[in-house]
Amino acid sequence: RGHGCGAAVFRQLGHAITWVLLPRAYVPSLCRDMPGRGGGSSSSSADVTSGCTIGEAFAKFQSEHALNKVVQPRTNLEWAYYQAGPASAASEALLFIHGTSGTAAAFFYQVQALAEKGYRVLSAQYPAYDSPQEWCKGFDHFLDAVKFRSVHVFGAGLGGFLVQHFAATYPHRLRSLLLCNAYATTNPFAEKAGPLTSVVHFSPTPLLRKVVLDMFPEGGMELSAQQAINFIAHQVHGISGDDLASRLSLNSTASSVGPLRLEQGRITLMESNGETMVPDELRRQLRQLYPGARLAQLKAGGDFPYLSRPDEATLFVEVHMRGVGVYPHGATPGPGDLPAGRELPLAAPALADASASYTAGLEPSVGVWRDEPHIEAQSARREQWTNPFEDDLL
């Protein structure tokens, strides 16, 4: 990649990519997923819930879960994935798709926790594709390879953008959708990039990695968010140059998501608290595009809530799955379970402590999960602890 070019050319290319092709204000998935400057060791990242570092927790996960690989037919394109949970035919699968700088490791906390609860979970890492349409074809082949007719999908950043394209192209293969700090168009990034988008395909791998590392913001974030960045920094060094170039190109080539035939009540929009690298205009646009979707406002800040506050992110994922009628081990809803679309007051301390709301078109301060017109939620009548997944019918 890039053999025969001098060091001066590479330096100029790096400046061009950094300041023209990928300006800081318009690099949603790149900056939100990319590690901090100079990277950082994953061993400095702490899992506040278990007392061990993120790197240590992932090492333990790796010792218990193999990284599987499948090759797309008639190509050399290879998908990698972790999986866990029951493999029975009755179990509906939930599949995680990473953003620009992610890998299959990005969601290891969710794979482990949800599998322990009885859900079938996969986290996939996709190879290099030239367009969202090619990516959708590749994902379709991947689902065939892992023998799923349809799945529930969690997409973060660029991954969320791509799975929306997939939902529009292959609606019969998608059961529900979770979009975390995602967006529905890359047009603003393409306008800034101009014709320089194609330059990334001729850039050497070390330069692409350096651009990725240098562009992630420093400072002004909570400790857990910085620790998550450090873990991602370690993972970026394992991503090939072809994959990085493809992701940067996908993120900077003009494209918008087409109409989805998926019922909006089966879509959840997950947003980190405070500022992220997804511009506010695109966050607002996504909410307007899916007015009937549920909004999960997380307490977690930063761009990797599934790593910085994994328990909170996992909780909302499980709430989404229950909301679309999927329960652990393929169980069916009990007498106390409400179907999707019914009002669920936020009386559970586990959610109150998370200071989160799960709404449809409501302000984040409104503590109610719903996709119907707003009705004031009743306060809890008793002080004792309440199971967060035992629905209050009052």
Side-chain angles (χ1 to χ4, degrees):
R1 302 174 61 84
H3 293 299
C5 297
V9 175
F10 288 154
R11 284 195 296 270
Q12 295 173 1
L13 177 59
H15 288 304
I17 295 176
T18 302
W19 299 111
V20 181
L21 174 59
L22 301 168
R24 182 179 297 273
Y26 286 93
V27 193
S29 187
L30 173 63
C31 286
R32 70 182 263 329
D33 291 335
M34 296 304 180
R37 295 183 184 189
S41 170
S42 61
S43 62
S44 66
S45 306
D47 173 11
V48 295
T49 61
S50 64
C52 66
T53 68
I54 298 179
E56 290 170 346
F58 178 60
K60 184 176 184 298
F61 175 86
Q62 279 185 305
S63 69
E64 299 171 352
H65 301 83
L67 180 63
N68 305 284
K69 297 181 179 181
V70 295
V71 178
Q72 185 174 325
R74 296 180 294 279
T75 72
N76 294 322
L77 299 176
E78 184 178 76
W79 287 70
Y81 66 99
Y82 291 104
Q83 67 175 343
S88 65
S91 300
E92 297 185 23
L94 169 63
L95 202 155
F96 289 83
I97 298 292
H98 58 78
T100 307
S101 65
T103 67
F107 304 101
F108 78 92
Y109 279 126
Q110 287 69 45
V111 172
Q112 180 170 283
L114 292 170
E116 289 175 353
K117 292 176 178 289
Y119 289 94
R120 179 84 181 275
V121 195
L122 294 86
S123 178
Q125 180 173 335
Y126 47 87
Y129 290 101
D130 294 332
S131 68
Q133 292 72 28
E134 290 300 316
W135 188 93
C136 290
K137 293 178 182 178
F139 190 42
D140 182 55
H141 286 300
F142 173 71
L143 293 182
D144 289 340
V146 293
K147 297 180 171 56
F148 291 130
R149 291 185 177 179
S150 60
V151 291
H152 305 267
V153 180
F154 180 112
L158 176 63
F161 172 71
L162 293 172
V163 297
Q164 289 175 81
H165 271 287
F166 183 79
T169 309
Y170 299 90
H172 62 286
R173 306 212 72 167
L174 198 73
R175 290 179 177 266
S176 72
L177 187 59
L178 296 98
L179 302 173
C180 181
N181 295 332
Y183 45 92
T185 181
T186 57
N187 290 344
F189 321 133
E191 292 174 4
K192 292 291 181 178
L196 293 177
T197 301
S198 59
V199 172
V200 295
H201 291 286
F202 303 100
S203 304
T205 299
L207 176 59
L208 292 175
R209 289 191 180 129
K210 186 179 185 305
V211 169
V212 165
L213 294 171
D214 284 350
M215 291 204 63
F216 204 87
E218 292 180 308
M221 65 185 73
E222 60 184 11
L223 178 60
S224 61
Q226 182 61 59
Q227 292 166 343
I229 288 173
N230 291 341
F231 177 77
I232 292 295
H234 183 77
Q235 296 294 313
V236 162
H237 289 286
I239 303 175
S240 72
D242 285 335
D243 287 356
L244 286 175
S246 167
R247 298 175 191 186
L248 294 175
S249 178
L250 288 170
N251 204 52
S252 301
T253 301
S255 178
S256 296
V257 174
L260 304 190
R261 283 186 278 172
L262 182 67
E263 180 185 344
Q264 292 196 10
R266 301 181 72 83
I267 300 174
T268 292
L269 309 180
M270 295 180 65
E271 295 184 355
S272 294
N273 183 36
E275 184 178 354
T276 70
M277 281 300 164
V278 178
D280 287 339
E281 62 182 280
L282 293 188
R283 296 173 73 166
R284 289 193 298 269
Q285 182 196 48
L286 195 66
R287 295 186 203 129
Q288 294 168 0
L289 187 62
Y290 307 119
R294 296 175 171 184
L295 175 63
Q297 188 70 47
L298 305 174
K299 181 180 179 182
D303 300 288
F304 307 98
Y306 37 86
L307 285 169
S308 61
R309 292 182 182 265
D311 291 344
E312 182 188 25
T314 302
L315 176 63
F316 275 111
V317 171
E318 185 170 2
V319 169
H320 168 87
M321 294 297 284
R322 287 171 57 91
V324 296
V326 182
Y327 295 79
H329 301 289
T332 56
D337 292 313
L338 293 178
R342 294 290 301 277
E343 181 181 331
L344 301 174
L346 276 184
L351 295 177
D353 291 343
S355 301
S357 63
Y358 192 54
T359 70
L362 301 179
E363 293 299 320
S365 59
V366 180
V368 65
W369 315 334
R370 53 183 300 106
D371 42 18
E372 297 175 350
H374 173 56
I375 301 176
E376 194 69 32
Q378 298 185 24
S379 60
R381 296 184 177 181
R382 292 175 292 189
E383 295 294 329
Q384 67 265 31
W385 181 87
T386 305
N387 187 326
F389 297 112
E390 184 176 279
D391 301 329
D392 186 354
L393 296 177
L394 295 179

